[in-house]
mmCIF file of all heavy atoms in Angstrom:
data_model
loop_
_atom_site.group_PDB
_atom_site.id
_atom_site.type_symbol
_atom_site.label_atom_id
_atom_site.label_comp_id
_atom_site.label_asym_id
_atom_site.label_seq_id
_atom_site.Cartn_x
_atom_site.Cartn_y
_atom_site.Cartn_z
ATOM 1 N N GLY A 147 248.971 -63.730 269.940
ATOM 2 C CA GLY A 147 248.212 -64.960 269.737
ATOM 3 C C GLY A 147 248.964 -66.033 268.979
ATOM 4 O O GLY A 147 248.386 -67.077 268.666
ATOM 5 N N ASN A 148 250.256 -65.771 268.673
ATOM 6 C CA ASN A 148 251.050 -66.706 267.865
ATOM 7 C C ASN A 148 250.278 -67.102 266.612
ATOM 8 O O ASN A 148 250.212 -68.270 266.225
ATOM 9 C CB ASN A 148 251.422 -67.956 268.682
ATOM 10 C CG ASN A 148 252.492 -68.799 267.984
ATOM 11 O OD1 ASN A 148 253.340 -68.276 267.257
ATOM 12 N ND2 ASN A 148 252.438 -70.110 268.180
ATOM 13 N N ALA A 149 249.670 -66.116 265.982
ATOM 14 C CA ALA A 149 248.783 -66.350 264.852
ATOM 15 C C ALA A 149 249.555 -66.378 263.536
ATOM 16 O O ALA A 149 250.581 -65.715 263.375
ATOM 17 C CB ALA A 149 247.713 -65.262 264.795
ATOM 18 N N VAL A 150 249.034 -67.137 262.587
ATOM 19 C CA VAL A 150 249.590 -67.194 261.243
ATOM 20 C C VAL A 150 248.853 -66.181 260.368
ATOM 21 O O VAL A 150 247.618 -66.174 260.316
ATOM 22 C CB VAL A 150 249.444 -68.605 260.639
ATOM 23 C CG1 VAL A 150 249.891 -68.615 259.175
ATOM 24 C CG2 VAL A 150 250.250 -69.612 261.447
ATOM 25 N N MET A 151 249.602 -65.324 259.708
ATOM 26 C CA MET A 151 249.042 -64.305 258.829
ATOM 27 C C MET A 151 249.335 -64.664 257.386
ATOM 28 O O MET A 151 250.445 -65.065 257.047
ATOM 29 C CB MET A 151 249.661 -62.936 259.147
ATOM 30 C CG MET A 151 249.100 -61.793 258.306
ATOM 31 S SD MET A 151 250.099 -60.276 258.415
ATOM 32 C CE MET A 151 251.358 -60.589 257.159
ATOM 33 N N VAL A 152 248.353 -64.509 256.520
ATOM 34 C CA VAL A 152 248.561 -64.698 255.090
ATOM 35 C C VAL A 152 248.364 -63.371 254.384
ATOM 36 O O VAL A 152 247.456 -62.593 254.727
ATOM 37 C CB VAL A 152 247.607 -65.778 254.515
ATOM 38 C CG1 VAL A 152 246.137 -65.399 254.716
ATOM 39 C CG2 VAL A 152 247.892 -66.024 253.032
ATOM 40 N N THR A 153 249.226 -63.072 253.427
ATOM 41 C CA THR A 153 249.107 -61.834 252.660
ATOM 42 C C THR A 153 249.716 -62.055 251.285
ATOM 43 O O THR A 153 250.262 -63.124 250.991
ATOM 44 C CB THR A 153 249.791 -60.662 253.387
ATOM 45 O OG1 THR A 153 249.435 -59.433 252.735
ATOM 46 C CG2 THR A 153 251.319 -60.805 253.382
ATOM 47 N N GLY A 154 249.622 -61.070 250.426
ATOM 48 C CA GLY A 154 250.127 -61.206 249.071
ATOM 49 C C GLY A 154 251.628 -61.032 248.984
ATOM 50 O O GLY A 154 252.216 -60.233 249.724
ATOM 51 N N ALA A 155 252.245 -61.765 248.093
ATOM 52 C CA ALA A 155 253.688 -61.634 247.878
ATOM 53 C C ALA A 155 254.014 -60.210 247.446
ATOM 54 O O ALA A 155 253.399 -59.663 246.527
ATOM 55 C CB ALA A 155 254.141 -62.626 246.816
ATOM 56 N N GLY A 156 254.941 -59.567 248.137
ATOM 57 C CA GLY A 156 255.320 -58.197 247.818
ATOM 58 C C GLY A 156 254.473 -57.140 248.493
ATOM 59 O O GLY A 156 254.759 -55.945 248.354
ATOM 60 N N TYR A 157 253.448 -57.540 249.243
ATOM 61 C CA TYR A 157 252.594 -56.564 249.925
ATOM 62 C C TYR A 157 253.376 -55.898 251.063
ATOM 63 O O TYR A 157 254.231 -56.517 251.706
ATOM 64 C CB TYR A 157 251.354 -57.234 250.518
ATOM 65 C CG TYR A 157 250.258 -57.568 249.538
ATOM 66 C CD1 TYR A 157 250.502 -57.672 248.172
ATOM 67 C CD2 TYR A 157 248.956 -57.788 249.982
ATOM 68 C CE1 TYR A 157 249.487 -57.992 247.283
ATOM 69 C CE2 TYR A 157 247.940 -58.113 249.099
ATOM 70 C CZ TYR A 157 248.202 -58.211 247.757
ATOM 71 O OH TYR A 157 247.187 -58.531 246.891
ATOM 72 N N SER A 158 253.027 -54.658 251.346
ATOM 73 C CA SER A 158 253.684 -53.929 252.440
ATOM 74 C C SER A 158 253.356 -54.538 253.797
ATOM 75 O O SER A 158 254.063 -54.291 254.775
ATOM 76 C CB SER A 158 253.255 -52.460 252.416
ATOM 77 O OG SER A 158 251.850 -52.338 252.585
ATOM 78 N N ASN A 159 252.297 -55.342 253.861
ATOM 79 C CA ASN A 159 251.912 -55.974 255.130
ATOM 80 C C ASN A 159 252.996 -56.901 255.666
ATOM 81 O O ASN A 159 253.074 -57.140 256.876
ATOM 82 C CB ASN A 159 250.625 -56.782 254.942
ATOM 83 C CG ASN A 159 249.527 -55.967 254.309
ATOM 84 O OD1 ASN A 159 249.463 -55.868 253.095
ATOM 85 N ND2 ASN A 159 248.667 -55.371 255.118
ATOM 86 N N ILE A 160 253.818 -57.434 254.790
ATOM 87 C CA ILE A 160 254.888 -58.344 255.214
ATOM 88 C C ILE A 160 255.869 -57.613 256.125
ATOM 89 O O ILE A 160 256.177 -58.067 257.234
ATOM 90 C CB ILE A 160 255.618 -58.933 253.991
ATOM 91 C CG1 ILE A 160 254.653 -59.757 253.148
ATOM 92 C CG2 ILE A 160 256.809 -59.793 254.430
ATOM 93 C CD1 ILE A 160 255.214 -60.138 251.778
ATOM 94 N N GLU A 161 256.341 -56.460 255.663
ATOM 95 C CA GLU A 161 257.294 -55.689 256.470
ATOM 96 C C GLU A 161 256.642 -55.149 257.737
ATOM 97 O O GLU A 161 257.265 -55.099 258.795
ATOM 98 C CB GLU A 161 257.886 -54.543 255.640
ATOM 99 C CG GLU A 161 258.835 -55.002 254.553
ATOM 100 C CD GLU A 161 259.972 -55.861 255.100
ATOM 101 O OE1 GLU A 161 260.573 -55.475 256.119
ATOM 102 O OE2 GLU A 161 260.241 -56.928 254.513
ATOM 103 N N ALA A 162 255.375 -54.739 257.617
ATOM 104 C CA ALA A 162 254.675 -54.222 258.798
ATOM 105 C C ALA A 162 254.571 -55.297 259.874
ATOM 106 O O ALA A 162 254.753 -55.022 261.066
ATOM 107 C CB ALA A 162 253.285 -53.726 258.405
ATOM 108 N N ALA A 163 254.291 -56.518 259.460
ATOM 109 C CA ALA A 163 254.175 -57.616 260.419
ATOM 110 C C ALA A 163 255.532 -57.930 261.048
ATOM 111 O O ALA A 163 255.630 -58.137 262.266
ATOM 112 C CB ALA A 163 253.610 -58.852 259.724
ATOM 113 N N LYS A 164 256.564 -57.950 260.232
ATOM 114 C CA LYS A 164 257.910 -58.236 260.761
ATOM 115 C C LYS A 164 258.345 -57.174 261.760
ATOM 116 O O LYS A 164 258.939 -57.483 262.789
ATOM 117 C CB LYS A 164 258.911 -58.329 259.611
ATOM 118 C CG LYS A 164 258.771 -59.583 258.759
ATOM 119 C CD LYS A 164 259.808 -59.591 257.640
ATOM 120 C CE LYS A 164 259.724 -60.856 256.797
ATOM 121 N NZ LYS A 164 260.712 -60.844 255.686
ATOM 122 N N GLU A 165 258.042 -55.918 261.447
ATOM 123 C CA GLU A 165 258.415 -54.825 262.355
ATOM 124 C C GLU A 165 257.701 -54.943 263.688
ATOM 125 O O GLU A 165 258.228 -54.522 264.721
ATOM 126 C CB GLU A 165 258.097 -53.469 261.704
ATOM 127 C CG GLU A 165 259.029 -53.114 260.558
ATOM 128 C CD GLU A 165 258.642 -51.821 259.879
ATOM 129 O OE1 GLU A 165 257.715 -51.145 260.382
ATOM 130 O OE2 GLU A 165 259.250 -51.475 258.852
ATOM 131 N N ALA A 166 256.509 -55.532 263.683
ATOM 132 C CA ALA A 166 255.760 -55.714 264.930
ATOM 133 C C ALA A 166 256.216 -56.948 265.695
ATOM 134 O O ALA A 166 255.758 -57.178 266.822
ATOM 135 C CB ALA A 166 254.270 -55.826 264.620
ATOM 136 N N GLY A 167 257.107 -57.740 265.088
ATOM 137 C CA GLY A 167 257.633 -58.914 265.772
ATOM 138 C C GLY A 167 257.042 -60.241 265.354
ATOM 139 O O GLY A 167 257.316 -61.273 265.977
ATOM 140 N N VAL A 168 256.219 -60.237 264.292
ATOM 141 C CA VAL A 168 255.664 -61.501 263.806
ATOM 142 C C VAL A 168 256.795 -62.307 263.168
ATOM 143 O O VAL A 168 257.474 -61.811 262.267
ATOM 144 C CB VAL A 168 254.542 -61.266 262.773
ATOM 145 C CG1 VAL A 168 254.019 -62.596 262.237
ATOM 146 C CG2 VAL A 168 253.414 -60.447 263.377
ATOM 147 N N PRO A 169 257.031 -63.541 263.628
ATOM 148 C CA PRO A 169 258.121 -64.335 263.046
ATOM 149 C C PRO A 169 257.840 -64.685 261.595
ATOM 150 O O PRO A 169 256.681 -64.877 261.195
ATOM 151 C CB PRO A 169 258.163 -65.583 263.926
ATOM 152 C CG PRO A 169 256.829 -65.652 264.568
ATOM 153 C CD PRO A 169 256.343 -64.250 264.714
ATOM 154 N N GLU A 170 258.891 -64.769 260.816
ATOM 155 C CA GLU A 170 258.733 -65.042 259.384
ATOM 156 C C GLU A 170 258.001 -66.356 259.144
ATOM 157 O O GLU A 170 257.255 -66.494 258.162
ATOM 158 C CB GLU A 170 260.104 -65.069 258.706
ATOM 159 C CG GLU A 170 260.019 -65.061 257.205
ATOM 160 C CD GLU A 170 261.325 -64.653 256.541
ATOM 161 O OE1 GLU A 170 262.248 -64.205 257.247
ATOM 162 O OE2 GLU A 170 261.415 -64.781 255.313
#
Side-chain angles (χ1 to χ4, degrees):
N148 192 31
V150 174
M151 182 193 85
V152 60
T153 191
Y157 283 20
S158 60
N159 308 85
I160 298 168
E161 290 305 314
K164 288 180 178 178
E165 288 176 6
V168 178
E170 192 162 351

